[in-house]
Structures are given as C-alpha cells and as structure tokens.
Amino acid sequence: MFVNINGIDVLTNPSMIDEVLSAGTEQLEKGEKRKAYQKIPSVKEYLIISQDAPHITQYRRQGRRWVRQDFGDLNGLLDLTSINSQVPISEIYEGITFN
C-alpha cells in the first residue's frame, strides 16, 4: 500500500529504501525525499546509489538519529542491517563500466 508524504508516494512499512541517482533527480533524492523517507517509522536504512561513479551513501537509523556512511570502493562490503544482509559493492555495480 502507498501513502503520500510531502507530495511523494511511498510504500508503507518498508525497512529499507534504495534510490539510484540521475543528474535530474540528485537534489531531490538527497534533500526532500531523504527527509520524507526518514520520517517513516519502519525505515531503518536509506541508500543513495550513484550511477555515474561507484559511490553509495547509506543513512542508517540509530535510535532517534540518522548516521551517514559513504562507500566509494568497489571492493567494499555494504552492511544492510535492516534486512540482515551484507552485499559486496562490486555486485551492486556488476556489469557497469565507469569513465
């Protein structure tokens, strides 16, 4: 089921939300959408994934605050506590060639 928060349709009760950036949506994802998603009580993690470079920004809920961590190394490991999983960053970008 979807609800509208600040003019943005969102799925109810998600534990993690992933967004892939594009040049036209970068500011929206990093600003308004992030703030709206972080208001959803069930959301524990929010990922912003760049498509132009190997870069992922992870926001993780810790109590009442959100902690940001940035990943830019394809050899890194992304710890997704909200779904009790770990994903190699190289797998997220598998098949993509960067300039």
Side-chain angles (χ1 to χ4, degrees), residues 47-49 54-58 69-71 78 89 92-93:
L47 301 179
I48 301 174
I49 303 166
H55 187 268
I56 298 171
T57 300
Q58 177 187 46
Q69 187 170 5
D70 291 280
F71 300 86
L78 192 58
I89 294 173
I92 294 171
Y93 287 104

Side-chain angles (χ1 to χ4, degrees), residues 20 49-51 53-56 73-76 87-98:
V20 177
I49 303 166
S50 174
Q51 67 175 340
H55 187 268
I56 298 171
D73 183 359
L74 285 173
N75 296 317
V87 178
I89 294 173
S90 61
E91 286 186 15
I92 294 171
Y93 287 104
E94 187 173 342
I96 298 174
T97 304
F98 300 104

Side-chain angles (χ1 to χ4, degrees), residues 1 3 9 16-17 19 32 36-37 40 44 46-47 50 52-53 60-61 64 66 68 73 79 81 86-87 90:
M1 182 165 135
V3 296
D9 289 329
M16 181 175 72
I17 298 174
E19 292 276 358
E32 290 178 47
Y37 291 149
I40 302 169
K44 294 175 178 47
Y46 175 50
L47 301 179
S50 174
D52 298 328
R60 183 180 295 154
R61 187 186 305 267
R64 293 185 178 184
W66 287 86
R68 175 183 171 160
D73 183 359
D79 187 18
T81 57
Q86 292 182 326
V87 178
S90 61

